[in-house]
Amino acid sequence: VTSTEAVGVDVGATHVRVCRVRVHGRELSQEGPLVRRSWNPSGRATVDDLSVVLSDLVATLGAGPRAPIGVGFAGQLTDDGRVVINAPNLGWRDVALARALENALGRPRITVVNDMKAILAGEVSMGVARGADPVLACYVGTGVGGALAVGGAVVRGAGGNAGELGHVKLYGYDGACGCGERGCVEALCGGAAIVRRLDAERARGAWGSVFRDGEPSDVARVDEAALAGDPTALALWDELALGLGTALAGACTLLNPELVVLGGGVFLRAPGLSERVTQATLGLTASVARARLRFEYGDLGESAGALGAACVAVLKGPTR
Ligand SMILES: [Zn+2]
């Protein structure tokens, strides 16, 4: 089996992560460290800003000029992955990302895939979801991300946007979401939404038992307070767990997955919230779909998105 190399890129709302990947047949392994760089400190960065940072990072990796490049991107893409339809956390709409990166990096063809599909492709190929079927992913970071894999392949959907767990609508909830719609899970449970809500409630004098004046609103602090029995923190965590758990349980009842892969910065920093979401999901999933259901954290860690994007670029899957 010949061994080739590829480059994996993960573009998040604030940081980009890149790594070299060694490819042996259908097996991939990370080669060297994951390199991480802040690219959007203002929250207003453009595709040109991203192109500058990425061309520099990819050059420093030293991968050959013919190495395939896969890019995981946090946003909704057209079916062919060429254009960003909507990236709520960046404020981007209708951006020709693939062409901009190809021009900036001097590469003929760059594969762009939704970041959650990349993460799940990585976990299915070489991580915690290897051999499990079907699989759902539920990640809570800045936003709420989802993906599903059936028969070892990440499901694309008719328009390329299957798995948008964060934009499932909740009955009786009307919060404005960054995607432009209302009532989305992400508007209630995404990390950015949680911090905005904490800031607003603190400005009205709430949360005095949890946060000192001037201290930033932080999910880890809320999680500690909930663990210690603070009623305000417990009420918020229960509300979020019920919202996200309702959406996730609907997906579990429909798909009957063997495994739900969990991850994202909010879940990692607030394990008590993650546990409550798991319990709420189990409680709301039909019992026939619950019997063999497991929840596990992804085990590719911070490299998952970049490794998964490289998987998609090299293997032309596993997505379908
Ligand atoms: Zn939405």
Side-chain angles (χ1 to χ4, degrees):
V1 178
T2 56
S3 167
T4 57
E5 63 182 350
V7 173
V9 177
D10 179 18
V11 179
T14 57
H15 289 80
V16 289
R17 300 164 181 85
V18 299
C19 66
R20 278 169 73 171
V21 176
R22 178 63 44 188
V23 185
H24 312 267
R26 293 190 68 80
E27 299 286 315
L28 279 77
S29 56
Q30 185 174 332
E31 191 166 72
L34 184 77
V35 181
R36 180 180 199 262
R37 191 172 298 173
S38 166
W39 74 280
N40 186 17
S42 68
R44 297 170 166 275
T46 66
V47 68
D48 293 331
D49 298 324
L50 178 62
S51 297
V52 169
V53 170
L54 268 188
S55 49
D56 181 44
L57 274 179
V58 170
T60 61
L61 283 183
R66 300 174 66 85
I69 298 180
V71 177
F73 181 81
Q76 298 165 342
L77 304 166
T78 51
D79 191 23
D80 60 5
R82 303 290 299 166
V83 175
V84 177
I85 299 168
N86 190 4
N89 294 317
L90 296 173
W92 290 10
R93 280 178 187 264
D94 303 318
V95 173
L97 175 63
R99 193 177 61 212
L101 294 181
E102 285 161 2
N103 290 341
L105 275 68
R107 307 277 179 145
R109 183 80 190 176
I110 291 177
T111 303
V112 182
V113 60
N114 168 269
D115 63 336
M116 280 307 308
K117 289 187 180 66
I119 287 170
L120 186 54
E123 294 291 352
V124 166
S125 295
M126 51 199 294
V128 70
R130 205 169 175 152
D133 182 38
V135 184
L136 268 173
C138 171
Y139 278 52
V140 182
T142 307
V144 175
L148 57 152
V150 177
V154 176
V155 177
R156 298 170 49 80
N161 287 289
E164 284 284 356
L165 182 66
H167 304 283
V168 170
K169 309 301 185 274
L170 293 171
Y171 178 74
Y173 174 66
D174 189 44
C177 182
C179 74
E181 298 172 1
R182 304 191 73 87
C184 297
V185 169
E186 179 167 299
L188 180 67
C189 303
I194 298 172
V195 169
R196 265 197 309 275
R197 173 170 172 173
L198 290 170
D199 286 346
E201 292 181 1
R202 289 173 66 190
R204 295 197 297 269
W207 292 96
S209 60
V210 176
F211 294 102
R212 288 185 298 273
D213 281 350
E215 186 183 19
S217 296
D218 176 23
V219 295
R221 176 56 67 89
V222 178
D223 207 53
E224 286 165 21
L227 197 65
D230 180 89
T232 314
L234 281 170
L236 178 61
W237 265 197
D238 283 341
E239 181 186 345
L240 302 191
L242 180 61
L244 180 51
T246 299
L248 190 52
C252 288
T253 300
L254 285 172
L255 187 67
N256 190 192
E258 175 179 347
L259 174 67
V260 176
V261 183
L262 302 173
V266 169
F267 271 176
L268 294 176
R269 300 188 68 247
L273 175 62
S274 160
E275 176 61 25
R276 280 184 147 70
V277 168
T278 301
Q279 291 307 321
T281 302
L282 284 169
L284 294 164
T285 298
S287 57
V288 287
R290 193 170 58 213
R292 295 181 53 192
L293 181 57
R294 293 183 293 120
F295 294 80
E296 305 266 8
Y297 278 95
D299 65 14
L300 300 181
E302 208 187 341
S303 298
L307 289 173
C311 281
V312 174
V314 171
L315 304 177
K316 304 303 167 206
T319 65
R320 71 178 184 194

